[in-house]
C-alpha cells in the first residue's frame, strides 16, 4: 500500500467523522493559549521559545472534529503547525470510556514534515482520579507512541497532572518521556505549570529537563 493511498484513506475517515457530526446541530467551542515553550512528547517544538496557540472544536453526540494551531521553530521553513482531527468518543461503563480517531499534522512551507496518526484510547474515572492510556500509530512511517495520563482533582479548581509516554520509531531512536505538574482554574483563565523530561542520551536543551508555564482559556 502506497503512502498516498494510506493518507487518502485516513483523510476519508476524518471527513466521514466530520460529515456525521455536521448532520445535526452540535456544540462549537474555541480555545486559546500562551506558553513559554511548546513541548510535545517531551521535546520542544519551538526551540525552547514562546508559543501562541489556539483551536476550534465541534462535537455532536460522540462525534467530534477540530483544528488546532501553534507557531513552531525547527530551524526550517516551517513556522506553523496546524492539526486537523476527527473521531468518536463514548462510554463503555459509568467509569470507563473510549476514544478513537485520526489526526493530521500539517506544516505549511515544509510539506515533508506532514504526517498522519490514528489513535485509540481508554479512560477510567473514579471519584477525583482520572487515568487513561492512548496509542497513536503513524502508518506512513510505522512509528508508534503510547501514553499514559493521570489527573487528580484536589479541589474543584486545582488538579494535579502526570504523564508518561514511549515513542517507538521504525528507524530506531526510541525514547521515553514524562511530565508532572498542576493546573488551577481562575475565573478568567487556567494556569498550568508542568515539568517535562526524556531519557534521550546526551539530549540537547529541547529534549532535556523543561518547565512549561501556560495560560489558557476555553470559550
Amino acid at each position: 500500500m502506497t503512502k498516498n493511498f494510506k493518507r487518502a484513506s485516513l483523510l476519508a475517515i476524518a471527513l466521514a467523522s466530520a460529515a456525521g457530526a455536521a448532520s445535526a446541530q452540535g456544540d462549537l467551542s474555541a480555545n486559546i493559549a500562551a506558553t513559554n515553550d511548546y513541548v510535545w512528547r517531551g521535546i520542544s517544538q519551538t526551540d525552547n521559545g514562546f508559543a501562541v496557540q489556539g483551536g476550534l472544536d465541534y462535537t455532536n453526540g460522540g462525534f467530534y472534529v477540530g483544528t488546532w494551531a501553534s507557531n513552531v521553530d525547527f530551524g526550517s521553513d516551517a513556522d506553523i503547525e496546524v492539526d486537523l482531527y476527527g473521531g468518536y468518543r463514548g462510554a463503555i461503563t459509568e467509569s470507563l470510556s473510549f476514544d478513537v480517531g485520526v489526526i493530521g499534522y500539517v506544516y505549511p512551507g515544509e510539506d515533508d514534515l506532514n504526517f498522519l496518526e490514528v489513535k485509540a484510547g481508554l479512560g477510567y474515572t473514579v471519584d477525583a482520579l482520572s487515568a487513561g492510556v492512548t496509542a497513536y500509530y503513524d502508518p506512513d512511517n510505522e512509528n508508534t507512541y503510547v501514553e499514559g495520563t493521570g489527573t487528580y482533582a484536589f479541589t474543584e479548581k486545582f488538579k494535579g497532572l502526570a504523564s508518561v509516554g514511549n515513542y517507538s520509531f521504525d528507524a530506531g531512536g526510541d525514547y521515553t518521556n514524562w511530565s508532572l505538574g498542576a493546573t488551577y482554574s481562575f475565573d478568567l483563565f487556567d494556569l498550568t505549570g508542568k515539568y517535562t523530561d526524556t531519557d534521550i542520551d546526551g539530549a540537547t536543551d529541547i529534549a532535556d529537563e523543561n518547565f512549561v508555564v501556560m495560560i489558557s482559556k476555553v470559550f
Side-chain angles (χ1 to χ4, degrees):
M1 183 181 292
T2 66
K3 289 185 177 181
N4 287 337
F5 184 79
K6 291 178 182 178
R7 189 174 290 112
S9 298
L10 292 173
L11 286 174
I13 294 172
L15 291 173
S17 297
S23 62
Q25 187 173 355
D27 297 316
L28 182 67
S29 64
N31 61 84
I32 57 172
T35 179
N36 68 310
D37 195 356
Y38 169 25
V39 175
W40 182 74
R41 298 179 181 176
I43 297 179
S44 174
Q45 307 295 290
T46 48
D47 196 21
N48 298 124
F50 187 80
V52 176
Q53 306 168 337
L56 290 170
D57 293 280
Y58 178 85
T59 60
N60 188 329
F63 288 98
Y64 64 88
V65 291
T67 184
W68 179 89
S70 174
N71 60 289
V72 296
D73 184 0
F74 302 136
S76 66
D77 291 334
D79 296 319
I80 299 174
E81 172 188 332
V82 179
D83 298 347
L84 305 169
Y85 48 86
Y88 185 86
R89 62 173 67 98
I92 300 173
T93 68
E94 185 176 340
S95 301
L96 187 64
S97 61
F98 70 91
D99 184 356
V100 294
V102 60
I103 310 168
Y105 304 85
V106 181
Y107 301 88
E110 197 71 59
D111 292 344
D112 289 344
L113 297 177
N114 299 348
F115 68 102
L116 286 163
E117 289 183 327
V118 291
K119 70 169 186 175
L122 290 173
Y124 184 77
T125 300
V126 54
D127 298 327
L129 177 65
S130 296
V133 60
T134 304
Y136 302 82
Y137 180 65
D138 171 358
D140 283 350
N141 300 297
E142 298 184 358
N143 300 329
T144 303
Y145 183 71
V146 180
E147 181 180 50
T149 60
T151 65
Y152 187 85
F154 294 98
T155 69
E156 185 177 342
K157 294 187 175 183
F158 181 65
K159 295 181 180 180
L161 313 170
S163 71
V164 60
N166 179 263
Y167 217 151
S168 177
F169 301 94
D170 182 60
D174 303 359
Y175 72 91
T176 298
N177 65 282
W178 55 90
S179 70
L180 186 65
T183 184
Y184 189 88
S185 297
F186 293 91
D187 291 338
L188 297 178
F189 62 88
D190 294 341
L191 177 63
T192 301
K194 187 163 51 176
Y195 165 86
T196 74
D197 200 0
T198 74
D199 68 349
I200 298 175
D201 292 334
T204 61
D205 289 345
I206 63 170
D208 206 351
E209 296 178 327
N210 285 300
F211 188 74
V212 178
V213 179
M214 176 183 290
I215 296 176
S216 60
K217 176 69 175 179
V218 177
F219 300 91

